[in-house]
Amino acid sequence: MRWAIHILVLATIPWLTLCQQEQEEDDVCTMGMMLLQGISRKLRGSNLVPTEHTKEEIINDVDSIKSSLRTVNDQLSKMNRNLECLKGNTLKWIRLESGKKYYYSDFYKYTWYDAKEFCENSGGVLASTHNEDELKTIYKANPIASSKPWVFVSATDIGQNPGNFYWADGSILDRNSSMWLEDNDPDAYGVGKETCVYMTDGKLADATCINYAYFVCEARLDCL
Protein backbone atom coordinates (compact mmCIF):
# COMPACT_ATOMS: atom_id res chain seq x y z
CA MET A 1 0.00 0.00 0.00
CA ARG A 2 2.76 2.45 0.86
CA TRP A 3 4.39 1.77 -2.51
CA ALA A 4 1.10 2.64 -4.18
CA ILE A 5 1.07 5.93 -2.28
CA HIS A 6 4.61 6.74 -3.38
CA ILE A 7 3.82 5.97 -7.02
CA LEU A 8 0.72 8.17 -6.96
CA VAL A 9 2.60 10.97 -5.25
CA LEU A 10 5.43 10.74 -7.79
CA ALA A 11 2.86 11.04 -10.55
CA THR A 12 2.02 14.52 -9.27
CA ILE A 13 5.64 15.75 -9.09
CA PRO A 14 5.49 17.53 -12.48
CA TRP A 15 2.43 19.47 -11.33
CA LEU A 16 3.85 20.44 -7.98
CA THR A 17 7.29 21.30 -9.39
CA LEU A 18 5.69 23.69 -11.85
CA CYS A 19 3.52 25.04 -9.04
CA GLN A 20 6.64 25.80 -6.97
CA GLN A 21 8.29 27.53 -9.91
CA GLU A 22 5.27 29.68 -10.80
CA GLN A 23 4.24 30.34 -7.17
CA GLU A 24 0.66 30.93 -8.19
CA GLU A 25 -2.67 29.13 -8.00
CA ASP A 26 -3.22 28.15 -11.63
CA ASP A 27 -5.03 25.15 -13.09
CA VAL A 28 -1.90 22.96 -13.06
CA CYS A 29 -1.37 23.54 -9.34
CA THR A 30 -5.05 22.93 -8.64
CA MET A 31 -5.02 19.60 -10.51
CA GLY A 32 -2.02 18.37 -8.54
CA MET A 33 -3.48 19.44 -5.21
CA MET A 34 -6.86 17.87 -6.02
CA LEU A 35 -5.23 14.56 -6.93
CA LEU A 36 -3.22 14.35 -3.72
CA GLN A 37 -6.14 15.47 -1.57
CA GLY A 38 -8.27 12.79 -3.23
CA ILE A 39 -5.63 10.18 -2.37
CA SER A 40 -5.61 11.52 1.18
CA ARG A 41 -9.38 11.14 1.57
CA LYS A 42 -9.35 7.60 0.15
CA LEU A 43 -6.59 6.44 2.50
CA ARG A 44 -7.67 8.27 5.65
CA GLY A 45 -9.66 5.26 6.85
CA SER A 46 -6.55 3.04 6.75
CA ASN A 47 -4.69 5.39 9.13
CA LEU A 48 -1.96 5.83 6.53
CA VAL A 49 -3.00 9.45 6.03
CA PRO A 50 -4.66 10.64 9.28
CA THR A 51 -5.46 14.18 8.19
CA GLU A 52 -5.73 16.17 4.98
CA HIS A 53 -2.33 17.56 4.09
CA THR A 54 -1.67 21.20 3.43
CA LYS A 55 -0.04 22.30 0.19
CA GLU A 56 3.25 22.99 2.03
CA GLU A 57 3.25 19.55 3.69
CA ILE A 58 2.67 17.81 0.37
CA ILE A 59 5.46 19.78 -1.30
CA ASN A 60 7.80 18.86 1.58
CA ASP A 61 6.85 15.19 1.19
CA VAL A 62 7.53 15.33 -2.54
CA ASP A 63 10.92 16.95 -1.94
CA SER A 64 11.72 14.17 0.54
CA ILE A 65 10.79 11.51 -2.03
CA LYS A 66 12.94 13.24 -4.67
CA SER A 67 15.88 13.22 -2.25
CA SER A 68 15.34 9.52 -1.54
CA LEU A 69 15.27 8.74 -5.26
CA ARG A 70 18.54 10.63 -5.78
CA THR A 71 20.11 8.57 -3.00
CA VAL A 72 18.87 5.35 -4.60
CA ASN A 73 20.22 6.43 -8.00
CA ASP A 74 23.61 7.24 -6.45
CA GLN A 75 23.72 3.81 -4.81
CA LEU A 76 22.77 2.08 -8.07
CA SER A 77 25.49 4.01 -9.91
CA LYS A 78 28.04 2.97 -7.29
CA MET A 79 26.94 -0.67 -7.56
CA ASN A 80 27.27 -0.52 -11.35
CA ARG A 81 30.81 0.88 -11.08
CA ASN A 82 31.70 -1.90 -8.61
CA LEU A 83 30.34 -4.49 -11.05
CA GLU A 84 32.52 -2.99 -13.79
CA CYS A 85 35.55 -3.37 -11.52
CA LEU A 86 34.61 -7.00 -10.83
CA LYS A 87 34.22 -7.67 -14.54
CA GLY A 88 37.62 -6.12 -15.14
CA ASN A 89 39.16 -8.50 -12.60
CA THR A 90 38.78 -11.30 -15.16
CA LEU A 91 41.23 -9.51 -17.47
CA LYS A 92 45.00 -9.79 -17.36
CA TRP A 93 46.12 -6.38 -16.16
CA ILE A 94 49.77 -5.33 -16.10
CA ARG A 95 50.87 -3.07 -13.25
CA LEU A 96 53.70 -0.70 -14.16
CA GLU A 97 56.14 1.03 -11.81
CA SER A 98 53.87 4.08 -11.72
CA GLY A 99 51.31 1.93 -9.86
CA LYS A 100 48.81 2.17 -12.71
CA LYS A 101 47.35 -0.97 -14.26
CA TYR A 102 46.93 -1.53 -17.98
CA TYR A 103 45.15 -4.11 -20.10
CA TYR A 104 46.35 -4.72 -23.66
CA SER A 105 44.20 -6.38 -26.29
CA ASP A 106 46.88 -8.66 -27.67
CA PHE A 107 44.61 -10.74 -29.90
CA TYR A 108 41.46 -8.90 -31.00
CA LYS A 109 41.42 -5.63 -32.93
CA TYR A 110 38.57 -3.15 -32.37
CA THR A 111 37.49 0.19 -33.77
CA TRP A 112 38.30 3.08 -31.44
CA TYR A 113 34.61 3.35 -30.48
CA ASP A 114 34.35 -0.34 -29.56
CA ALA A 115 37.66 -0.21 -27.68
CA LYS A 116 36.42 2.74 -25.63
CA GLU A 117 33.22 0.87 -24.74
CA PHE A 118 35.15 -2.29 -23.84
CA CYS A 119 37.44 -0.41 -21.44
CA GLU A 120 34.60 1.48 -19.77
CA ASN A 121 32.61 -1.74 -19.25
CA SER A 122 35.67 -3.35 -17.66
CA GLY A 123 36.47 -0.82 -14.95
CA GLY A 124 38.78 1.34 -17.01
CA VAL A 125 39.16 3.88 -19.80
CA LEU A 126 41.28 4.01 -22.90
CA ALA A 127 44.76 4.91 -21.69
CA SER A 128 46.13 8.45 -21.63
CA THR A 129 49.78 9.47 -21.64
CA HIS A 130 51.06 12.97 -21.04
CA ASN A 131 54.80 12.76 -21.63
CA GLU A 132 57.23 10.88 -23.81
CA ASP A 133 58.72 8.73 -21.03
CA GLU A 134 55.28 7.50 -19.97
CA LEU A 135 54.32 6.86 -23.59
CA LYS A 136 57.42 4.74 -24.22
CA THR A 137 56.92 2.81 -20.96
CA ILE A 138 53.29 1.98 -21.78
CA TYR A 139 54.12 1.00 -25.34
CA LYS A 140 57.11 -1.13 -24.36
CA ALA A 141 55.00 -3.09 -21.85
CA ASN A 142 52.58 -4.33 -24.49
CA PRO A 143 52.62 -8.11 -25.01
CA ILE A 144 51.44 -7.89 -28.62
CA ALA A 145 53.44 -10.23 -30.82
CA SER A 146 53.33 -8.28 -34.07
CA SER A 147 56.04 -5.77 -34.92
CA LYS A 148 55.20 -2.08 -34.35
CA PRO A 149 51.48 -2.70 -33.74
CA TRP A 150 48.89 0.06 -33.80
CA VAL A 151 47.47 0.44 -30.27
CA PHE A 152 44.55 2.82 -29.73
CA VAL A 153 44.74 5.25 -26.79
CA SER A 154 42.14 7.75 -25.58
CA ALA A 155 43.08 10.92 -27.49
CA THR A 156 40.65 11.99 -30.22
CA ASP A 157 39.29 15.07 -31.93
CA ILE A 158 35.69 13.81 -31.82
CA GLY A 159 33.42 16.76 -31.05
CA GLN A 160 36.27 19.22 -31.59
CA ASN A 161 37.63 21.14 -34.54
CA PRO A 162 39.56 18.72 -36.78
CA GLY A 163 43.06 18.20 -35.44
CA ASN A 164 42.31 19.47 -31.90
CA PHE A 165 42.99 16.34 -29.87
CA TYR A 166 41.98 15.77 -26.25
CA TRP A 167 42.72 12.93 -23.84
CA ALA A 168 39.96 11.18 -21.89
CA ASP A 169 40.69 13.36 -18.84
CA GLY A 170 40.03 16.52 -20.88
CA SER A 171 43.67 17.58 -21.22
CA ILE A 172 44.99 18.74 -24.59
CA LEU A 173 47.31 16.71 -26.80
CA ASP A 174 49.33 19.47 -28.44
CA ARG A 175 49.71 19.26 -32.21
CA ASN A 176 53.40 20.15 -31.73
CA SER A 177 54.06 17.56 -29.03
CA SER A 178 57.27 15.56 -29.40
CA MET A 179 55.17 12.42 -28.81
CA TRP A 180 53.90 12.49 -32.41
CA LEU A 181 55.69 10.54 -35.11
CA GLU A 182 58.01 12.86 -37.01
CA ASP A 183 56.28 12.25 -40.34
CA ASN A 184 52.75 12.37 -38.88
CA ASP A 185 50.71 15.50 -39.51
CA PRO A 186 47.85 15.37 -36.96
CA ASP A 187 44.47 14.97 -38.70
CA ALA A 188 46.09 14.59 -42.15
CA TYR A 189 45.03 10.94 -42.25
CA GLY A 190 41.37 11.65 -41.67
CA VAL A 191 41.27 14.79 -43.82
CA GLY A 192 38.80 16.55 -41.54
CA LYS A 193 36.97 13.41 -40.42
CA GLU A 194 36.79 12.29 -36.78
CA THR A 195 40.22 10.87 -36.04
CA CYS A 196 41.61 8.93 -33.10
CA VAL A 197 45.13 8.46 -31.81
CA TYR A 198 47.14 5.26 -31.60
CA MET A 199 50.62 4.30 -30.43
CA THR A 200 53.15 2.74 -32.74
CA ASP A 201 56.87 2.27 -32.22
CA GLY A 202 56.71 4.34 -29.02
CA LYS A 203 55.17 7.37 -30.74
CA LEU A 204 51.70 8.70 -31.50
CA ALA A 205 49.88 8.92 -34.82
CA ASP A 206 46.25 9.34 -35.84
CA ALA A 207 43.81 7.51 -38.08
CA THR A 208 40.07 7.44 -38.67
CA CYS A 209 38.28 6.03 -35.64
CA ILE A 210 36.61 3.24 -37.63
CA ASN A 211 39.99 1.63 -38.37
CA TYR A 212 40.71 -1.59 -36.51
CA ALA A 213 43.65 -1.73 -34.11
CA TYR A 214 44.75 -3.19 -30.80
CA PHE A 215 44.07 -1.02 -27.77
CA VAL A 216 45.20 -0.41 -24.20
CA CYS A 217 42.90 0.24 -21.23
CA GLU A 218 43.95 2.06 -18.07
CA ALA A 219 42.27 0.90 -14.86
CA ARG A 220 40.15 3.48 -13.02
CA LEU A 221 41.65 4.59 -9.71
CA ASP A 222 38.75 3.04 -7.79
CA CYS A 223 39.43 -0.30 -9.50
CA LEU A 224 43.19 -0.49 -8.82
Side-chain angles (χ1 to χ4, degrees):
M1 179 65 75
R2 291 185 182 275
W3 282 105
I5 296 172
H6 284 177
I7 292 171
L8 290 170
V9 170
L10 286 173
T12 68
I13 286 178
W15 281 307
L16 295 178
T17 300
L18 183 58
C19 187
Q20 285 179 285
Q21 293 172 346
E22 298 295 336
Q23 295 184 340
E24 59 183 33
E25 295 293 336
D26 58 13
D27 291 341
V28 175
C29 298
T30 302
M31 289 176 65
M33 292 297 296
M34 288 177 61
L35 178 58
L36 281 177
Q37 288 174 355
I39 296 169
S40 175
R41 285 193 295 272
K42 287 288 186 181
L43 297 175
R44 194 176 301 131
S46 65
N47 294 323
L48 291 176
V49 183
T51 59
E52 193 167 295
H53 287 182
T54 66
K55 172 182 171 180
E56 289 74 18
E57 289 173 330
I58 292 172
I59 290 174
N60 288 338
D61 287 344
V62 171
D63 287 340
S64 177
I65 292 173
K66 285 182 179 179
S67 178
S68 297
L69 287 174
R70 283 193 293 269
T71 300
V72 170
N73 284 335
D74 289 343
Q75 291 298 321
L76 288 174
S77 178
K78 183 177 180 180
M79 289 174 63
N80 186 57
R81 291 175 69 85
N82 287 339
L83 287 173
E84 290 171 351
C85 291
L86 289 173
K87 182 179 178 180
N89 286 342
T90 63
L91 303 178
K92 186 178 179 181
W93 295 86
I94 297 175
R95 187 183 294 275
L96 302 184
E97 290 184 4
S98 63
K100 295 179 180 179
K101 291 196 306 183
Y102 297 90
Y103 167 75
Y104 297 83
S105 66
D106 55 354
F107 186 73
Y108 294 105
K109 293 182 178 182
Y110 285 20
T111 67
W112 185 90
Y113 305 101
D114 291 338
K116 177 177 181 290
E117 182 178 4
F118 179 94
C119 292
E120 291 174 353
N121 289 338
S122 303
V125 293
L126 276 172
S128 299
T129 174
H130 299 95
N131 60 69
E132 210 161 355
D133 288 340
E134 185 179 38
L135 170 62
K136 290 178 179 178
T137 299
I138 295 172
Y139 187 77
K140 186 178 179 180
N142 86 76
I144 301 167
S146 62
S147 175
K148 298 181 181 180
W150 287 19
V151 183
F152 274 133
V153 288
S154 73
T156 179
D157 66 358
I158 294 175
Q160 308 294 331
N161 291 326
N164 290 350
F165 293 94
Y166 286 80
W167 294 105
D169 60 8
S171 58
I172 297 173
L173 171 55
D174 197 304
R175 293 175 64 99
N176 299 316
S177 171
S178 60
M179 292 189 290
W180 291 104
L181 279 173
E182 290 183 5
D183 59 350
N184 182 83
D185 179 14
D187 194 49
Y189 189 99
V191 193
K193 297 179 181 179
E194 293 180 338
T195 54
C196 297
V197 177
Y198 63 91
M199 302 185 297
T200 183
D201 199 23
K203 289 286 189 176
L204 298 178
D206 68 308
T208 52
C209 304
I210 57 175
N211 274 16
Y212 283 81
Y214 299 106
F215 61 91
V216 55
C217 304
E218 180 180 332
R220 295 198 317 253
L221 293 178
D222 58 326
C223 292
L224 289 177

